[in-house]
Amino acid sequence: MGEVDSTNAAAMRLLEEGSLKDGLTIIAEKQTAGKGRHGRSWLSDGGLCMTVLTEAVASHAGFVTLSAGLGVAEGLAAAAGRPFFLKYPNDIFSEKTGGRKIGGILAQAKRGWTAIGIGINMEQTSFPAELAGTATSLKQLGVTMNKEIAAAAILNSLEPWMDVLKAGNIGLIRERWLKLNCTIGEKVAVRDVSPTVEGTATGLDEDGALIVETDRGLVRVTTGGLMIARPSDAPRTGLSAPPKKE
Ligand code: BTN
């Protein structure tokens, strides 16, 4: 498809119309209203924008984004010949430590289906000031790859991970995610909650929630955005996520 408001929005419209096939994929050359998580917009010029529709897995909802992340990171890694990493819950990162965001996932559920929206920074040579210190692209990493190759590689890897999820093999997803993640052991802050949750990410529980060790004890973060705290970030607050406390 050429230009669309958002491949996720297009997927949602298809869901309204019905007659869907598992794995149906929408890829757009350009998005005019790309969506990110927490209502943010997603700048996609020069990037890969795609959405894959898959039947929802209600019993393991906390692992949908995590298993999709595995598909994206491993697919890109296979095509690029270098590894990529996962920041909880939905970011694709360039390095295990000190990396930058190269892509993100926006999973939206409706009518028994999940739309897995995937945005990858491909050809960007610069980013707006507010993203300049945290975002990167394949081009900036010195990886030359066209969008078709990237999309095919991601789909090849995403499908088996969706099968693992549907089969309920959560142990395998958890184990692989723990290997590829760049969150555990890091100082994190969860924004949009009051008081802000700050602490050290220590693990991933059996529901796919991140465990954060804080001054107030262990907190489960189920959906929230995380900020890996750097020295210069320390006083800042603001991410979103209603953490559940047990
Ligand atoms: C995030 O990191 O906030 C998630 C970004 C997801 C962006 C992709 S681009 C393709 C799909 N269509 C959208 O409108 N959003 C997702």
Side-chain angles (χ1 to χ4, degrees), residues 15 20-23 53-56 108-115:
L15 284 175
L20 297 168
K21 200 167 159 259
D22 196 50
L53 278 166
T54 183
E55 288 174 69
Q108 296 180 286
K110 192 173 188 178
R111 293 190 169 178
W113 290 82
T114 304

Side-chain angles (χ1 to χ4, degrees), residues 5-9 31 33-38 40 42 44 48-51 90-91 101 103-106 116-120:
D5 50 353
S6 144
T7 54
N8 269 37
Q31 291 188 133
K35 299 172 197 293
R37 282 165 53 91
H38 310 300
R40 294 188 202 109
W42 178 258
S44 45
L48 170 67
C49 314
M50 62 192 278
T51 298
N90 70 314
D91 291 343
K101 178 167 173 168
I105 293 169
L106 175 65
I116 299 173
I118 300 162
I120 305 294

